[in-house]
Structures are given as structure tokens and as C-alpha cells.
Amino acid sequence: PIAETIDLNLATSLLHEATSGRRQRAIVVIDEFENLGDPQDRRRFAELIKQLSDRQVALALVFCGIGRSLDELLEGHASAHRYLEGIKVPPLAFERRQAIVARAAEALGIEVDWQVLIQIANVSDGFPHYVHLIAQKMFWQAFRQPEPVEEIGRAQYLEAIRAAIGSVEEHLRQRYDLAVKKDRDDYEEILWAVADRREFERHHEQVYEQSYVPIMQLRHRVPLEYKPFMGRLASLRSPAHGAILRSERRSWVRFREDMIR
């Protein structure tokens, strides 16, 4: 019988026993590793990798996750890097994002306005998942029209965006709601400002001057002064706001999960 609590030594032994009779190395894929929230659990995985390698267990582990480095995913466990090879998958190129939608439209016998193609490529942030999601919602919008649609324009695109927002991953929506639904009604525009440019990491002053103030002007609202703005920015890094933002160096900020951006 398997013990209720499995420590690293027992886990290594069980995996060794499970793979010992195989002719070829077993492969285990662990997807969405970045969603393993407890840093201690990530370090345990790093230690497991080391033990599996030291005991020459015929098992290959493939970790898939969103992060800038192995160090970030494994919480800085230095020794694990000797047993791993990192393969960075960059965001999908701008032209390839457009091509996904254009090819689907061609197969359906429908035209998509070129500005809509550009907007989808921009808003998807390089993630194929979002390109597929927005395009799917957009084509369904066209399909449901009472009259045949020959070309999809901005109106259908905006409806598709609204539908896509409503079906994004629940944990992302929960974190966003936790961040912005507070007594003060001024956190949402700050998050929009952080996400306003293509850079994943931005300087505080750039966020305020280049994005936050113009956004507030567009919404006909009075922007916060710089000092209270910085206070709200600090709050968005706290657990009370879901720690939706993080700061890895002084005066710079980014989203904790790039998918939220």
C-alpha cells in the first residue's frame, strides 16, 4: 500500500519501480507548472529531478510553464539546472498570428478586414490560444447573423472580444477581480496602464506619464497625483490585491502572470 504522505525518497523509489520494467525511458509531461503556487512545492520538484538523475531512473520529465527562465519556475534551486535543458518558446510572430485568422477565414469563404487582423495580432500578445479564441468567437458571430456575412469588420471584432473576455480562464478573472474590486474605484485604470505597451516590464514613471494619464483623460476622469498613484501600484503587489503585479528591480513593475496582461 502507498503511504498517505510520500516524501522525496519514497517518491523516487516508486518512480524507479514503476519504470524499471520498461524497455524505453518513460516520459512524463507536467503542463502549466507556473500554476503551482507554493514555492516550496516547486523546490520539491527540483529536488525530485536531482534524485531521479542521481539514481539513474529511466524517466524523463518535461515541464511546461510560463516564465522567463528555469530559475523562475523552480524558485532558484541551483543544483537542478545541471539535470535540465531549457527550451524557450518565444511569443508567436506578428505575421503568424495574422495568418492563423486569415487561413481560417479563407477556409470559411469569408473576408476579414485587414485592420481587424492587426488588432487581433496585437491584443493576443503572441499567445496562439488567444488568437484561436478571438477568431472562434468572431466567426460564430458572423455565422449567427440572419443574413450571410461576406466581410468581418470592427463591429464583429468588438463583439468577439467581449465574448472572449467572458470565457477566459477562471483563475485569471478571479485574480483580476480581487485586484480591482475595492472601495476605491481607481485600480482598474492603473492595471490597464501597466499593460498599455508591448514591454512586459515597465518603469513606474513611464507607466504614469505615457499610459495612466492619457487613459484617464480618455475616460474623462481626473488622474491621481504621482504619489498616490505609486501607493496604488504598491497595493497591487500585495496579497490583498491578489499580488497581480510584481517588482523584480527598483522602480520597475510587471504582471505576476503574463497571461493576465
Side-chain angles (χ1 to χ4, degrees):
I2 300 176
E4 292 185 4
T5 302
I6 301 178
D7 59 24
L8 286 172
N9 290 326
L10 179 56
T12 305
S13 298
L14 290 171
L15 290 171
H16 185 273
E17 180 180 348
T19 58
S20 59
R22 299 178 63 90
R23 294 183 179 180
Q24 297 178 330
R25 176 179 294 187
I27 299 175
V28 175
V29 178
I30 303 172
D31 198 9
E32 298 185 358
F33 189 68
E34 78 280 357
N35 290 329
L36 188 62
D38 189 345
Q40 185 60 33
D41 287 338
R42 295 193 189 190
R43 285 190 283 269
R44 291 189 183 103
F45 266 102
E47 185 60 33
L48 177 63
I49 294 167
K50 181 177 182 299
Q51 291 201 29
L52 291 173
S53 180
D54 290 345
R55 293 187 57 176
Q56 298 183 339
V57 177
L59 176 66
L61 295 178
V62 179
F63 293 89
C64 303
I66 298 174
R68 294 181 300 164
S69 65
L70 286 172
D71 185 73
E72 182 175 276
L73 287 175
L74 294 175
E75 297 293 332
H77 195 295
S79 63
H81 291 266
R82 297 198 300 268
Y83 311 99
L84 292 171
E85 178 181 358
I87 301 175
K88 185 176 181 179
V89 181
L92 198 64
F94 193 88
E95 296 78 11
R96 298 191 67 182
R97 302 175 213 171
Q98 292 177 297
I100 291 174
V101 185
R103 289 174 183 171
E106 182 181 1
L108 294 170
I110 193 170
E111 295 287 334
V112 178
D113 183 86
W114 68 273
Q115 290 186 330
V116 169
L117 291 176
I118 292 174
Q119 288 173 319
I120 293 175
N122 274 325
V123 77
S124 64
D125 205 23
F127 293 103
H129 166 73
Y130 285 136
V131 178
H132 296 155
L133 179 63
I134 296 168
Q136 179 194 59
K137 300 296 184 183
M138 191 171 63
F139 291 133
W140 274 112
Q141 289 285 343
F143 177 77
R144 294 190 182 102
Q145 298 304 311
E147 299 294 332
V149 175
E150 295 182 356
E151 183 180 23
I152 291 178
R154 180 170 174 79
Q156 290 87 357
Y157 163 74
L158 291 176
E159 286 299 320
I161 287 291
R162 294 187 184 97
I165 289 171
S167 61
V168 296
E169 289 86 345
E170 183 64 23
H171 81 279
L172 298 183
R173 285 196 289 158
Q174 288 177 351
R175 178 164 290 184
Y176 183 85
D177 289 343
L178 179 61
V180 302
K181 291 184 177 180
K182 303 297 180 182
D183 293 337
R184 293 190 175 98
D185 183 27
D186 49 23
Y187 289 101
E188 195 162 30
E189 291 91 349
I190 295 175
L191 283 185
W192 295 352
V194 176
D196 182 47
R197 301 299 173 91
R198 294 181 62 86
E199 297 84 3
F200 282 80
E201 187 177 31
R202 301 185 64 199
H203 193 276
H204 294 166
E205 291 182 0
Q206 294 175 340
V207 174
Y208 182 78
E209 296 172 1
Q210 298 176 6
S211 299
Y212 174 69
V213 172
I215 285 173
M216 295 299 283
Q217 290 171 346
L218 284 171
R219 290 174 60 78
H220 304 291
R221 297 187 62 183
V222 178
L224 295 169
E225 297 293 332
Y226 186 70
K227 186 174 181 179
F229 166 83
M230 288 297 298
R232 305 291 194 279
L233 207 60
S235 296
L236 289 167
R237 299 197 299 267
S238 70
H241 290 257
I244 195 170
L245 299 180
R246 62 177 173 172
S247 181
E248 298 176 344
R249 50 179 173 157
R250 185 178 177 86
S251 300
W252 290 78
V253 66
R254 64 178 296 153
F255 281 91
R256 182 166 298 276
E257 294 184 57
D258 291 333
M259 293 287 282
I260 294 179
R261 175 179 175 274

Tab-separated table of all heavy atoms in Angstrom, residues 40 52 56 64 85 90 101 112 116 146 151 166 171 212 215 217 219 260:
chain	number	residue	atom	x	y	z
A	40	GLN	N	7.565	26.238	-2.125
A	40	GLN	CA	8.167	25.039	-1.543
A	40	GLN	C	7.874	23.804	-2.385
A	40	GLN	O	8.725	22.924	-2.544
A	40	GLN	CB	7.638	24.839	-0.109
A	40	GLN	CG	8.279	23.680	0.645
A	40	GLN	CD	9.777	23.846	0.802
A	40	GLN	OE1	10.284	24.963	0.931
A	40	GLN	NE2	10.509	22.738	0.764
A	52	LEU	N	16.119	11.701	-9.065
A	52	LEU	CA	15.869	10.793	-10.191
A	52	LEU	C	17.117	10.632	-11.045
A	52	LEU	O	17.432	9.533	-11.523
A	52	LEU	CB	14.711	11.316	-11.049
A	52	LEU	CG	13.317	11.270	-10.427
A	52	LEU	CD1	12.310	11.984	-11.330
A	52	LEU	CD2	12.871	9.825	-10.183
A	56	GLN	N	19.613	7.376	-11.503
A	56	GLN	CA	19.527	6.919	-12.891
A	56	GLN	C	18.183	6.229	-13.184
A	56	GLN	O	18.124	5.175	-13.816
A	56	GLN	CB	20.692	5.985	-13.219
A	56	GLN	CG	22.052	6.662	-13.096
A	56	GLN	CD	23.191	5.743	-13.489
A	56	GLN	OE1	23.054	4.519	-13.495
A	56	GLN	NE2	24.326	6.333	-13.829
A	64	CYS	N	6.293	22.206	-18.610
A	64	CYS	CA	5.813	23.289	-19.473
A	64	CYS	C	5.239	24.383	-18.583
A	64	CYS	O	4.407	24.111	-17.718
A	64	CYS	CB	4.732	22.793	-20.434
A	64	CYS	SG	5.242	21.404	-21.476
A	85	GLU	N	17.471	20.938	-19.406
A	85	GLU	CA	17.752	21.797	-20.554
A	85	GLU	C	16.529	22.669	-20.792
A	85	GLU	O	15.413	22.170	-20.965
A	85	GLU	CB	18.046	20.973	-21.808
A	85	GLU	CG	18.304	21.839	-23.043
A	85	GLU	CD	18.578	21.032	-24.290
A	85	GLU	OE1	18.610	19.784	-24.195
A	85	GLU	OE2	18.767	21.647	-25.356
A	90	PRO	N	9.382	31.471	-27.798
A	90	PRO	CA	9.033	32.903	-27.861
A	90	PRO	C	7.583	33.096	-28.269
A	90	PRO	O	6.949	32.178	-28.811
A	90	PRO	CB	9.986	33.446	-28.933
A	90	PRO	CG	10.260	32.274	-29.823
A	90	PRO	CD	10.260	31.067	-28.915
A	101	VAL	N	-5.708	33.589	-38.495
A	101	VAL	CA	-7.063	34.081	-38.748
A	101	VAL	C	-7.350	34.114	-40.246
A	101	VAL	O	-8.439	33.715	-40.693
A	101	VAL	CB	-7.247	35.484	-38.136
A	101	VAL	CG1	-8.689	35.946	-38.303
A	101	VAL	CG2	-6.874	35.473	-36.655
A	112	VAL	N	-11.831	39.059	-43.861
A	112	VAL	CA	-11.635	39.748	-42.590
A	112	VAL	C	-10.884	41.042	-42.871
A	112	VAL	O	-9.826	41.019	-43.508
A	112	VAL	CB	-10.845	38.891	-41.582
A	112	VAL	CG1	-10.622	39.671	-40.286
A	112	VAL	CG2	-11.587	37.590	-41.289
A	116	VAL	N	-8.725	44.554	-38.628
A	116	VAL	CA	-9.134	43.578	-37.616
A	116	VAL	C	-8.030	42.543	-37.414
A	116	VAL	O	-7.728	42.150	-36.283
A	116	VAL	CB	-10.465	42.900	-38.018
A	116	VAL	CG1	-10.758	41.711	-37.112
A	116	VAL	CG2	-11.607	43.900	-37.963
A	146	PRO	N	-28.505	36.906	-39.338
A	146	PRO	CA	-29.632	36.438	-40.154
A	146	PRO	C	-29.324	36.427	-41.650
A	146	PRO	O	-29.880	35.619	-42.393
A	146	PRO	CB	-30.746	37.441	-39.820
A	146	PRO	CG	-30.045	38.640	-39.275
A	146	PRO	CD	-28.831	38.131	-38.587
A	151	GLU	N	-17.882	39.944	-45.183
A	151	GLU	CA	-16.664	40.515	-44.606
A	151	GLU	C	-16.881	40.829	-43.137
A	151	GLU	O	-17.918	41.384	-42.751
A	151	GLU	CB	-16.241	41.784	-45.342
A	151	GLU	CG	-14.932	42.370	-44.801
A	151	GLU	CD	-14.491	43.626	-45.530
A	151	GLU	OE1	-15.361	44.296	-46.125
A	151	GLU	OE2	-13.296	43.936	-45.509
A	166	GLY	N	-15.335	37.009	-21.594
A	166	GLY	CA	-16.230	36.270	-20.710
A	166	GLY	C	-15.868	34.814	-20.531
A	166	GLY	O	-16.393	34.145	-19.648
A	171	HIS	N	-9.348	31.398	-13.038
A	171	HIS	CA	-8.433	31.891	-12.009
A	171	HIS	C	-7.845	33.247	-12.389
A	171	HIS	O	-7.525	34.053	-11.517
A	171	HIS	CB	-7.315	30.876	-11.737
A	171	HIS	CG	-6.194	30.902	-12.715
A	171	HIS	ND1	-6.265	30.268	-13.940
A	171	HIS	CD2	-4.975	31.489	-12.660
A	171	HIS	CE1	-5.128	30.459	-14.593
A	171	HIS	NE2	-4.339	31.196	-13.852
A	212	TYR	N	-0.962	55.974	-17.958
A	212	TYR	CA	-2.035	56.208	-16.991
A	212	TYR	C	-2.736	57.546	-17.228
A	212	TYR	O	-3.977	57.599	-17.317
A	212	TYR	CB	-1.479	56.145	-15.567
A	212	TYR	CG	-2.491	56.525	-14.516
A	212	TYR	CD1	-3.588	55.711	-14.244
A	212	TYR	CD2	-2.372	57.731	-13.812
A	212	TYR	CE1	-4.532	56.065	-13.290
A	212	TYR	CE2	-3.307	58.092	-12.862
A	212	TYR	CZ	-4.385	57.262	-12.600
A	212	TYR	OH	-5.326	57.617	-11.671
A	215	ILE	N	-4.859	57.546	-20.409
A	215	ILE	CA	-6.044	56.691	-20.241
A	215	ILE	C	-7.114	57.420	-19.430
A	215	ILE	O	-8.305	57.400	-19.776
A	215	ILE	CB	-5.653	55.356	-19.572
A	215	ILE	CG1	-4.927	54.448	-20.573
A	215	ILE	CG2	-6.887	54.643	-19.011
A	215	ILE	CD1	-4.356	53.192	-19.958
A	217	GLN	N	-7.508	60.611	-19.158
A	217	GLN	CA	-8.048	61.701	-19.985
A	217	GLN	C	-9.070	61.172	-20.978
A	217	GLN	O	-10.115	61.797	-21.197
A	217	GLN	CB	-6.900	62.408	-20.705
A	217	GLN	CG	-6.005	63.215	-19.770
A	217	GLN	CD	-4.759	63.736	-20.451
A	217	GLN	OE1	-4.395	63.300	-21.551
A	217	GLN	NE2	-4.081	64.681	-19.801
A	219	ARG	N	-10.956	58.684	-20.539
A	219	ARG	CA	-12.150	58.287	-19.783
A	219	ARG	C	-12.802	59.490	-19.081
A	219	ARG	O	-13.744	59.318	-18.314
A	219	ARG	CB	-11.782	57.218	-18.755
A	219	ARG	CG	-11.445	55.893	-19.413
A	219	ARG	CD	-10.923	54.861	-18.405
A	219	ARG	NE	-11.849	54.539	-17.353
A	219	ARG	CZ	-12.899	53.725	-17.485
A	219	ARG	NH1	-13.161	53.177	-18.656
A	219	ARG	NH2	-13.686	53.463	-16.462
A	260	ILE	N	-2.363	37.315	-17.722
A	260	ILE	CA	-3.291	38.341	-17.286
A	260	ILE	C	-3.096	39.604	-18.101
A	260	ILE	O	-4.043	40.283	-18.464
A	260	ILE	CB	-3.126	38.633	-15.782
A	260	ILE	CG1	-3.536	37.408	-14.963
A	260	ILE	CG2	-3.963	39.847	-15.366
A	260	ILE	CD1	-3.394	37.597	-13.478
